[in-house]
Amino acid sequence: MLTQAILVGLVAMCVTFEWALGTCLASRPIVTGVLIGLVMGDLQTGIIVGATLEMVFIGSVTIGAAVPPDVITGGILGTAFAISTGQGAEVALTLAFPIASLYLIIDNALTLIVMPFFVHKADDCVAKGDLKGMERMHLLGGFIVKSLPRFFVCSLAFYLGTPVMNAVLNAIPEFVSNGLVIAGGFIPALGISLLASMIVNKQTAIFFVLGFALCAYMSIPILGIAIIGLCLAVILVVVQPNFIAQTPQLSSEGSFDDDDF
């Protein structure tokens, strides 16, 4: 158990490195679920739970000062508890949001209290022309404030929480568990709705209706609709502008302007 707790913490710590190396989406539940499945010896459940949680957190992205619940701890601990208790995605869906919301408070506190120290040190390095020192402060601040706390929180929570979670789950009545299963079916739709609320407007709504119609009335699978959407995007963004730019335009007299004649 201790070894698994340490490995869970290491996954939580290492996926934050993407912020220093470029955003490669390693911190998303669809990736962390696979990693947790590997370290806990149940890859299949890790993939299933990770994909389910990704649907829930798909609209949880930081935009300006709006910081969503912490996707890393919610996804990792939700998947870890789901595997350790053997209860599947229902447990992950039940625990992910409370865990993510709780760690958001911790992360905000560390960012407001500890991070300014490294920021001021980086400012001093810039004033002295020490660019290497500035880089060190950025990396060190990110590691101490963003990476290391997730290691301790995830390791400790998993190590101490599994027996408690087993006891709680065994005490839950069957009708409550069935209710969680039913509610879990609605939560992915909520994640998609949150994402749609940010990207759907008067110009893009027609494509949403088109995709729904293709799926509902022509039974085209989601992968096929995604391919059609990709083709439409290429046509509208790449092909059509180039075609218009290369098409001869009518002159004011109604004839085509062509420099070759």
Side-chain angles (χ1 to χ4, degrees):
M1 182 62 67
L2 179 60
T3 301
Q4 285 187 338
I6 293 174
L7 290 174
V8 167
L10 287 174
V11 171
M13 181 180 71
C14 291
V15 295
T16 62
F17 295 164
E18 71 155 357
W19 298 332
L21 303 175
T23 302
C24 59
L25 304 181
S27 60
R28 302 299 302 180
I30 198 170
V31 177
T32 58
V34 175
L35 298 177
I36 294 299
L38 286 173
V39 301
M40 297 190 65
D42 192 349
L43 179 60
Q44 181 178 357
T45 303
I47 294 173
I48 294 173
V49 174
T52 303
L53 290 177
E54 180 65 33
M55 296 295 290
V56 176
F57 286 108
I58 195 169
S60 296
V61 293
T62 302
I63 302 175
V67 182
D70 189 66
V71 175
I72 296 176
T73 54
I76 287 177
L77 288 177
T79 305
F81 282 132
I83 294 175
S84 64
T85 58
Q87 299 294 323
E90 296 80 27
V91 172
L93 292 170
T94 305
L95 298 177
F97 267 115
I99 291 172
S101 300
L102 176 61
Y103 189 82
L104 177 62
I105 299 174
I106 300 173
D107 185 57
N108 285 338
L110 291 173
T111 302
L112 293 173
I113 297 172
V114 181
M115 184 63 83
F117 170 80
F118 295 98
V119 174
H120 294 317
K121 285 290 184 181
D123 290 338
D124 294 339
C125 292
V126 172
K128 297 175 183 177
D130 183 8
L131 297 183
K132 293 292 185 181
M134 179 199 68
E135 293 176 0
R136 285 194 299 271
M137 287 300 104
H138 279 291
L139 294 175
L140 188 61
F143 178 74
I144 292 177
V145 176
K146 299 295 182 180
S147 302
L148 202 57
R150 284 181 170 86
F151 168 77
F152 288 115
V153 169
C154 289
S155 296
L156 188 62
F158 179 74
Y159 182 73
L160 298 177
T162 303
V164 176
M165 288 307 305
N166 279 322
V168 171
L169 290 171
N170 291 331
I172 294 177
E174 184 178 355
F175 75 91
V176 176
S177 300
N178 293 335
L180 292 175
V181 173
I182 296 173
F186 291 101
I187 293 179
L190 174 62
I192 295 175
S193 299
L194 291 172
L195 179 63
S197 66
M198 294 185 290
I199 63 175
V200 174
N201 52 37
K202 293 180 180 179
Q203 286 74 35
T204 60
I206 186 63
F207 297 103
F208 175 80
V209 175
L210 175 62
F212 175 80
L214 291 175
C215 180
Y217 297 106
M218 301 185 67
S219 300
I220 298 177
I222 297 298
L223 180 59
I225 295 175
I227 294 173
I228 294 173
L230 177 62
C231 294
L232 287 174
V234 172
I235 291 172
L236 293 174
V237 177
V238 179
V239 177
Q240 187 180 35
N242 291 337
F243 177 78
I244 294 175
Q246 296 173 5
T247 302
Q249 301 296 317
L250 283 172
S251 65
S252 58
E253 290 80 12
S255 60
F256 285 101
D257 288 333
D258 197 328
D259 293 337
D260 293 336
F261 296 97

